[in-house]
Amino acid sequence: MSLERTLTIIKPDGVEQGNIGDIIQVLEKNHFKIKAAKMLQLTNSAAGGFYAVHRERSFFNDLVRYMSSGPVLILVLEAENAVSRLRDLMGATDPRKAAEGTIRKRFATSIEKNVIHGSDSAENAKIEIGYFFNALELV
């Protein structure tokens, strides 16, 4: 196992529903260490830049609109095999298909409002972390 960093975002629905504390508790109970955190209200431009990889997909505009619809909490997490472990802990994008005990099964209300984002690879984690945090903000 290797120590990795990954990025996660508690999305607007998670913030609005008051799930921040519960989600952080799940992360900490699963041995993720928070290395940086910031609360932001993403602009359409910032959300579009972050999700640019999906620009050609049919859901892109809805995703950008949703991610800029309210505040988000952005976290850098560190743990052994953080990327894959966080993806497992988040659960399937569709909460109806997510395993019991996963974050999305517990807190998400739909495939669109699925509470949490997590990097899908170590390479993308580095890019995503750099999108929101500079080196001085990481502990």
Side-chain angles (χ1 to χ4, degrees), residues 51-106:
Y51 285 108
V53 66
H54 299 302
R55 188 170 307 280
E56 301 303 319
R57 312 274 302 261
S58 63
F59 60 82
F60 176 76
N61 289 330
D62 289 337
L63 177 61
V64 168
R65 193 174 309 109
Y66 162 61
M67 289 300 292
S68 59
S69 69
V72 296
L73 182 66
I74 304 167
L75 303 165
V76 176
L77 303 175
E78 186 175 78
E80 295 289 331
N81 296 316
V83 173
S84 63
R85 288 188 44 237
L86 178 62
R87 306 250 345 137
D88 289 344
L89 188 59
M90 289 184 339
T93 304
D94 183 345
R96 294 171 299 173
K97 296 177 181 175
E100 287 299 324
T102 62
I103 291 170
R104 288 180 172 147
K105 186 68 165 186
R106 290 182 61 192

Side-chain angles (χ1 to χ4, degrees), residues 2 7 9 15 31 34 40-41 56 65 67 75 78 81 86 89-91 116 124-125 132 137-138:
S2 62
L7 184 110
I9 302 174
V15 174
H31 310 289
I34 297 171
L40 295 175
Q41 171 75 49
E56 301 303 319
R65 193 174 309 109
M67 289 300 292
L75 303 165
E78 186 175 78
N81 296 316
L86 178 62
L89 188 59
M90 289 184 339
I116 193 167
N124 282 340
F132 290 111
E137 295 173 306
L138 300 169

